[in-house]
């Protein structure tokens, strides 16, 4: 399981990975996030089935935020909240 925290006061994106026997914490500056998209992780023929939000960082890296919902609408709503929170520019995203 992954917990994602966006904190403007501390200027941090905090990812906490919880595994059965261990956990890991990774932090990034919010200023490092340059864009995002919603992508399908699996397909049945030409029908997308399972989605995730991907954050693109300025140094060319990316972070995939796996969700608990396979609904593109749920991921779009979450992505819109992140976009508004960070003040990222609006653009067309894949909507399944």
């Amino acid at each position: 399981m992954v917990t994602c925290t966006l904190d403007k006061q501390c200027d941090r994106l905090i990812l906490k990975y919880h595994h059965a026997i261990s956990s890991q914490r990774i932090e990034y500056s919010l200023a490092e996030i340059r864009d995002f998209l919603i992508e399908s992780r699996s397909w049945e023929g030409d029908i997308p089935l399972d989605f995730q939000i991907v954050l693109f960082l300025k140094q060319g890296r990316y972070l995939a935020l796996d969700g608990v919902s396979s609904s593109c609408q749920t991921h779009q709503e979450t992505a819109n909240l992140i976009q508004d929170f960070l003040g990222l520019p609006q653009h067309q995203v894949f909507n399944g």
Side-chain angles (χ1 to χ4, degrees):
M1 183 172 103
V2 179
T3 303
C4 176
T5 303
L6 300 165
D7 186 332
K8 275 192 178 178
Q9 280 189 314
C10 296
D11 182 40
R12 303 314 288 162
L13 162 65
I14 303 166
L15 299 172
K16 293 180 183 175
Y17 296 89
H18 308 278
H19 307 285
I21 58 173
S22 67
S23 63
Q24 179 183 16
R25 177 182 169 123
I26 302 173
E27 295 187 25
Y28 299 92
S29 166
L30 293 178
E32 291 184 58
I33 302 170
R34 65 174 174 84
D35 206 355
F36 74 94
L37 66 76
I38 299 170
E39 71 175 6
S40 178
R41 294 186 299 173
S42 62
W43 296 77
E44 186 171 303
D46 60 351
I47 300 171
L49 298 176
D50 193 25
F51 299 91
Q52 66 184 2
I53 298 170
V54 179
L55 298 177
F56 293 94
L57 305 179
K58 289 182 179 176
Q59 68 267 36
R61 296 177 54 190
Y62 66 90
L63 303 169
L65 305 177
D66 297 335
V68 294
S69 169
S70 61
S71 161
C72 185
Q73 180 179 349
T74 300
H75 281 78
Q76 181 65 58
E77 291 167 0
T78 302
N80 289 343
L81 289 171
I82 293 170
Q83 179 181 22
D84 291 344
F85 182 79
L86 296 176
L88 295 173
Q90 299 224 351
H91 56 79
Q92 274 302 104
V93 295
F94 175 73
N95 63 10

